[in-house]
Amino acid sequence: KASGQVVAIEIDKNLYDKLKIKFAKSSNVEIQYGDFMASLLPKQPYKVFSNIPFNITAQIIKKLTESENPPEDTYLFVQNESADKFCGVSKETQASLLLKPWFDLSIVHRFKKNDFSPIPNVDIVLLRIEKRNEPLVASSNAKLYRDFVVYSFNQWKPTLKEALKSIFSDTQFTRLSNDLRFSSKAKPTELSFNQWLGLFNFFIKGT
């Protein structure tokens, strides 16, 4: 009732048939039978609201956020642990850092288990992924930023300094840690998103 147009994609044939009947008289509702992961995303502005299969949370978020036309706003029912990972709650993760220059992520609601039937054995939250009006990393540097983060997280070194020793000299890294206010012995997960942006901005000035 609140939306101009709703396109619902349902992979379960039984549920699809029931939805077709339930919304037969709703002219602004279109029910599609199929797999969302194989579906084309709209070319016009759109929003997403869904209680998704938890076992493919990462794949769904990747499809939405890495598309040529990401949704303006997304609300997903997800497990609490997944939401923490993508939001970077308590500590940043590779997943959160790869999203934050382009999206603002937050947990906007925490459900009670008895909100659902049957009652789940996991904690469920509503994750919001809102596209930023102005990206924090220029589109021309998007691939370089992603490569920088992935490289930093996958060197399997005890500290970020060790992981980036081929990129920053000891003097540069010490200065960066002082300027950005993080320990020179910090691990990748111990820096905030803004500190990561500071590292990357220094990096691109030298490339």
Side-chain angles (χ1 to χ4, degrees):
K1 293 179 181 180
S3 301
Q5 180 185 21
V6 175
V7 177
I9 303 173
E10 177 55 61
I11 197 171
D12 184 295
K13 186 61 166 62
N14 182 49
L15 291 176
Y16 165 78
D17 291 338
K18 290 180 179 180
L19 289 169
K20 287 287 286 185
I21 295 171
K22 182 175 182 178
F23 292 100
K25 296 182 180 180
S26 300
S27 59
N28 66 328
V29 178
E30 176 187 345
I31 313 296
Q32 296 181 1
Y33 174 57
D35 182 357
F36 169 75
M37 293 304 296
S39 301
L40 296 176
L41 295 174
K43 294 183 178 180
Q44 69 272 20
Y46 66 102
K47 298 179 181 181
V48 171
F49 190 95
S50 181
N51 185 355
I52 63 175
F54 295 159
N55 63 315
I56 56 170
T57 296
Q59 294 96 310
I60 288 175
I61 291 178
K62 180 181 176 70
K63 178 182 175 76
L64 292 170
T65 59
E66 295 186 9
S67 69
E68 291 185 5
N69 183 35
E72 302 294 308
D73 216 351
T74 301
Y75 292 85
L76 302 176
F77 291 59
V78 301
Q79 282 186 243
N80 182 64
E81 291 79 6
S82 292
D84 285 352
K85 181 182 76 171
F86 286 105
C87 290
V89 173
S90 76
K91 63 180 181 180
E92 297 291 353
T93 64
Q94 178 175 303
S96 67
L97 291 170
L98 291 177
L99 289 172
K100 286 188 173 182
W102 298 275
F103 301 92
D104 183 25
L105 296 98
S106 59
I107 297 171
V108 295
H109 185 75
R110 296 183 182 276
F111 294 99
K112 298 175 183 177
K113 289 188 176 180
N114 59 8
D115 286 334
F116 303 91
S117 180
I119 295 175
N121 57 11
V122 297
D123 293 321
I124 300 173
V125 301
L126 188 61
L127 170 66
R128 183 182 186 185
I129 307 174
E130 183 180 14
K131 187 169 72 172
R132 296 186 186 275
N133 291 326
E134 294 294 333
L136 302 180
V137 172
S139 57
S140 57
N141 291 324
K143 184 179 185 304
L144 192 60
Y145 172 82
R146 293 187 175 101
D147 289 346
F148 180 77
V149 170
V150 171
Y151 176 86
S152 301
F153 268 79
N154 290 276
Q155 294 306 298
W156 305 109
K157 299 293 184 180
T159 67
L160 185 60
K161 181 179 180 180
E162 285 292 312
L164 298 178
K165 65 181 180 180
S166 64
I167 297 176
F168 300 124
S169 68
D170 286 349
T171 301
Q172 286 176 321
F173 196 87
T174 299
R175 194 181 100 193
L176 281 165
S177 66
N178 288 332
D179 291 347
L180 297 174
R181 299 176 180 275
F182 65 85
S183 170
S184 60
K185 298 180 180 179
K187 299 176 182 179
T189 56
E190 293 174 344
L191 272 66
S192 69
F193 171 57
N194 285 331
Q195 288 168 333
W196 272 100
L197 276 184
L199 270 183
F200 178 69
N201 287 332
F202 182 86
F203 168 68
I204 58 177
K205 288 178 182 177
T207 57

